[in-house]
Structure formats: structure tokens, C-alpha cells
Amino acid sequence: MTEKQAAIPVMANTVPWMKTALAEIGQKEVPGKKANPRILDYFNASKFWGKDDSGGANAWCGSFVAWVMKENGYTPVSEAYRAKSWTNFGNEIAKPVYGAIGIKSRKGGGHVAFVVGKSADDKALFMLGGNQSNSVNIARYKADVWDTFVVPKEFDASHISLPIYTEIAVAAGSEA
């Protein structure tokens, strides 16, 4: 493991909610009438009324972020199941740092995920989110698609950097 690759788990100790988020990688939707109980936990944390973890009407990226933050003692925003509502969380920061919550627009709504790293050329961000191709994973996105980055109010982001991400990531795909 290189020094850069080792930076992600080490930084998770500095940004406590990232340890929780990283542990959820691999959670995915269950096709059909059954639902993944963990995704229903995410719904509960965001006060979303959905009972089915699949389908466009039940996008769950915001619910995932709500669950992670709630597990770490933070109160989710009102209507936390709506990705764009996360712009009202904590403090906005000018540049992404490890663990920041990124919010972007997409056709039909928005998407929200945690920043884990950047590409060596600064053209891509690697985002850990729920409902990224129907699962919790780390996906590569163009850096310029993200509109806003926020951190909890009492969190000092000035000492947190953004490492170059060299691990496996999926290509950004469906977020609905």
C-alpha cells in the first residue's frame, strides 16, 4: 500500500463520520418487493416514508447521508431525503476537503455524497454515496459538476486536505 492509499483510512479517524460511511460500502438495493433493511434504516434517519428501496421515486442518497450523520451525533437537515436540502447543513466551504458533503444538480433533482479524494490532475472527485448505481460505493465524477460543499458547523475544515485517490472506484452512473 502506498502512502497516498494509506491516507484514506487514516483520514477517516480525523473525520469520524467517514469511518461510518466507509463501513457501508456494498449496501445495495434489493430488486422486487423486498427491500434492504439497511436502506430502510437510511429512510428512517431522513424521515422518508418509502418502503421500497428501488425505483426513481425512492432515490436514497440524501437518506444515506442523513443516516451517517445521525449515527455520528449530527442532526440531519429538514427533508434530509432531498439531496439539495443538504445545502442548508452546517457551513459552506469554498473547496472540497476529505469528508465534506458535496451537493450537485441532476436531471430530476439533485445528488449528495461525501468527498473522499481527487484525481492527480484535479479534474475528478471521488465521492462516497448511496444510490450511486443503486448501491453505496465510491464513484468518480467530473469535479466541476458539484455545486456546493458543506461540513458540520463546529468542524474545522482548515486542517483537512483532499488526498489524491488511487483506489478502485466506479464510473459515475445512475443516481435515481
Side-chain angles (χ1 to χ4, degrees):
M1 182 181 297
T2 70
E3 185 177 313
K4 288 178 186 175
Q5 290 170 321
I8 300 300
V10 169
M11 291 187 81
N13 292 328
T14 306
V15 184
W17 59 88
M18 290 302 290
K19 205 172 203 178
T20 304
L22 287 162
E24 295 300 296
I25 290 175
Q27 293 292 339
K28 58 186 172 185
E29 294 178 6
V30 176
K33 293 187 179 192
K34 291 189 177 188
N36 179 334
R38 178 62 102 197
I39 295 173
L40 297 181
D41 290 342
Y42 303 159
F43 285 176
N44 187 46
S46 70
K47 299 183 177 156
F48 182 67
W49 55 89
K51 301 290 181 216
D52 178 14
D53 61 7
S54 60
N58 292 339
W60 49 274
C61 61
S63 295
F64 171 69
V65 172
W67 181 85
V68 169
M69 298 312 285
K70 197 169 185 179
E71 287 289 302
N72 285 274
Y74 296 98
T75 301
V77 294
S78 178
E79 297 187 332
Y81 51 88
R82 296 187 187 279
K84 289 185 175 182
S85 71
W86 283 93
T87 59
N88 299 316
F89 180 78
N91 293 325
E92 185 173 339
I93 56 175
K95 292 184 177 182
V97 297
Y98 180 81
I101 298 168
I103 303 106
K104 75 177 202 70
S105 296
R106 67 170 177 83
K107 185 178 180 180
H111 185 59
V112 62
F114 298 101
V115 181
V116 295
K118 64 181 179 175
S119 61
D121 64 5
D122 287 329
K123 291 183 180 179
L125 288 176
F126 293 87
M127 306 296 290
L128 191 170
N131 204 31
Q132 295 181 160
S133 299
N134 302 327
S135 69
V136 176
N137 60 47
I138 296 175
R140 178 186 177 105
Y141 286 85
K142 289 182 180 179
D144 62 4
V145 302
W146 296 93
D147 303 320
T148 307
F149 299 97
V150 297
V151 294
K153 280 191 193 282
E154 62 283 346
F155 185 74
D156 179 9
S158 66
H159 68 285
I160 304 296
S161 61
L162 187 58
I164 294 172
Y165 187 79
T166 59
E167 297 289 316
I168 296 170
V170 301
S174 170
E175 300 155 348

